[in-house]
Amino acid sequence: MSTNRILGIDPGTGICGFGIIKGETALDFGVITTPPHTPLPDRLEDIYNSLHEIIDQNHPNVMAIEKLFFKQNITTGISVAEARGVCMLVAKQCGLEIFEYAPNQIKNAICGDGHAHKAQIQEMVRLHLGLKTAPKPDDAADALAVAIVHSFVSKTN
């Protein structure tokens, strides 16, 4: 399974992180951003089109995506859920198998602590992938972390 190109996604409406790894190498990572105060359907369309481009350019085999978790702002949670749905739709349309991981599962696998902070995740992702600097913004690091977790899980199955 380590020969797979894994697309990790940290879903969001304003900032959607993505990261593609093969083995222990980062092939591509970054964020899809949508302008604030833009109608939600337009933002979702931007995510849809951008993610299609990323998949077309990088040819991942699978998608690993963070499960939704929110404890305070349900309005934000709903729009993130809609962005997450768009990401899953694009992956399905492109023939990718989809795997989902909870935020605390990702943090625990990457840092050994289910309550790790963003900076800890960035540093552990940097170390695991042999990057010179921590991936930024943290949404891109989170997406790479999801991909790394899937690579761990797929090696044990």
Side-chain angles (χ1 to χ4, degrees):
M1 277 280 201
S2 63
T3 59
N4 276 344
R5 287 175 178 240
I6 303 167
L7 168 60
I9 296 288
D10 177 29
T13 307
I15 302 174
C16 181
F18 72 90
I20 298 165
I21 66 168
K22 181 176 181 179
E24 295 182 3
T25 303
L27 302 177
D28 191 11
F29 62 89
V31 293
I32 300 166
T33 57
T34 64
H37 310 296
T38 302
L40 182 60
D42 295 336
R43 295 176 100 174
L44 295 175
E45 182 182 38
D46 284 350
I47 293 167
Y48 178 91
N49 291 333
S50 296
L51 191 53
H52 258 292
E53 263 183 53
I54 291 163
I55 290 171
D56 287 346
Q57 290 171 358
N58 292 284
H59 310 289
N61 306 94
V62 298
M63 173 192 276
I65 188 167
E66 187 173 316
K67 287 183 180 177
L68 183 60
F69 175 78
F70 58 94
K71 56 185 171 186
Q72 290 176 335
N73 189 340
I74 194 162
T75 303
T76 300
I78 290 170
S79 68
V80 171
E82 290 171 332
R84 187 174 179 275
V86 166
C87 292
M88 293 174 78
L89 173 63
V90 172
K92 196 71 177 158
Q93 287 177 335
C94 292
L96 305 184
E97 194 171 358
I98 301 168
F99 298 87
E100 302 174 75
Y101 298 95
N104 62 344
Q105 180 183 14
I106 297 163
K107 291 174 182 180
N108 193 47
I110 295 293
C111 299
D113 178 359
H115 302 288
H117 298 287
K118 296 283 187 185
Q120 290 171 292
I121 294 166
Q122 286 175 300
E123 181 60 12
M124 292 307 292
V125 166
R126 182 192 74 76
L127 290 171
H128 182 80
L129 297 175
L131 301 172
K132 291 183 183 198
T133 59
K136 293 184 181 180
D138 56 27
D139 307 89
D142 289 349
L144 287 167
V146 180
I148 292 167
V149 168
H150 180 71
S151 75
F152 294 165
V153 170
S154 65
K155 287 177 188 172
T156 61
N157 290 336

